Amino acid sequence: TSSMQLFSLICQTGYGKALLFFVFALAVGISIVDNLAFIFFDTLGSSNTMNGLTVVFTVIFEVPIFYLAPRFLQKHGPGKLLLAAGIAYVVRVLGYTVAPHMSVVLLLETLHGVSYAGGKAGSVEYIAQIAPKGYEATGQGLLIFVNYMGIVVGLFAGGHIQETLGSRAMFYVMATIVALGTVVLLIAEICLGAPKRENDGGNNNNPDEESTNLIKSESA
């Protein structure tokens, strides 16, 4: 199918493999913050009102990141925005493990804007750059699939760790997973660099056309 061929096309480069691994790792980590963190907040004496306030903080700080992301992407590219997202996540969940009360948690929730919005904007932009013309929607669908695979794995593993070892152990494990993904992406960014869509400028050897023809020929 075209989805599998596009996946193979992305994985032909070391950077593509690193980025998909990072997207998966970040989805694993964010899934437990979005779905299991309230259980931990209860141990810090949180109330329903305070839990609701944490959600307000996370959403509010997504807005400026989404607003500024196009400028950042144009200047620095998706790789650096994704690295910022990974670092923000690691700082956030490690902060949970030492937070003495919910006021500290509220401050940490401001990092959600960087980890979530930065991760989404950066990954979507990368796939938009590398997907052949006519396969942009397929590329985004593939990205969503990788994200949901991470969510499933994150909730299964995170829930088990939380039940057996406790919330702090769960946050340590998730911080390690996302940190590993971030390091892998950083190495790829330094050694390989993110591939960019080239302007064909009338050149018939447009990489997008070659990639599209490759997928079509393999589908035949």
Side-chain angles (χ1 to χ4, degrees):
T1 65
S2 60
S3 297
M4 291 303 299
Q5 287 151 0
L6 181 58
F7 179 79
S8 298
L9 178 66
I10 294 172
C11 289
Q12 282 179 4
T13 67
Y15 191 92
K17 294 185 184 77
L19 183 131
L20 289 180
F21 176 70
F22 172 83
V23 169
F24 175 81
L26 187 62
V28 169
I30 288 181
S31 69
I32 61 100
V33 171
D34 287 347
N35 297 280
L36 303 177
F38 287 164
I39 299 174
F40 171 69
F41 295 165
D42 287 342
T43 66
L44 297 180
S46 183
S47 62
N48 289 336
T49 300
M50 181 62 77
N51 287 341
L53 193 57
T54 63
V55 176
V56 172
F57 267 59
T58 61
V59 173
I60 286 176
F61 283 92
E62 286 176 19
V63 175
I65 301 301
F66 276 124
Y67 176 76
L68 295 172
R71 300 180 190 175
F72 187 95
L73 288 168
Q74 186 176 18
K75 185 175 182 180
H76 301 289
K80 291 182 175 58
L81 185 57
L82 290 170
L83 290 173
I87 293 170
Y89 177 87
V90 173
V91 172
R92 179 187 181 189
V93 296
L94 289 181
Y96 285 166
T97 66
V98 297
H101 42 72
M102 285 301 297
S103 60
V104 176
V105 170
L106 283 180
L107 292 176
L108 292 170
E109 294 304 85
T110 61
L111 294 172
H112 177 81
V114 181
S115 60
Y116 179 82
K120 292 294 184 184
S123 58
V124 166
E125 173 65 16
Y126 174 79
I127 295 298
Q129 288 181 356
I130 197 173
K133 290 180 180 178
Y135 290 85
E136 294 88 351
T138 302
Q140 298 304 326
L142 176 61
L143 184 62
I144 292 171
F145 174 77
V146 173
N147 269 289
Y148 274 98
M149 287 294 292
I151 291 171
V152 171
V153 172
L155 289 177
F156 180 81
H160 178 71
I161 295 170
Q162 190 174 44
E163 287 182 358
T164 55
L165 300 176
S167 295
R168 285 183 171 82
M170 175 184 69
F171 289 132
Y172 283 131
V173 171
M174 295 303 161
T176 301
I177 291 172
V178 177
L180 177 61
T182 304
V183 170
V184 168
L185 185 62
L186 176 62
I187 293 173
E189 183 82 10
I190 293 173
C191 298
L192 304 173
K196 296 180 180 179
R197 183 189 298 278
E198 296 181 13
N199 188 349
D200 59 7
N203 186 350
N204 292 329
N205 295 322
N206 186 358
D208 284 337
E209 294 178 1
E210 293 177 1
S211 300
T212 303
N213 292 334
L214 174 63
I215 291 176
K216 288 181 177 178
S217 64
E218 292 181 353
S219 299

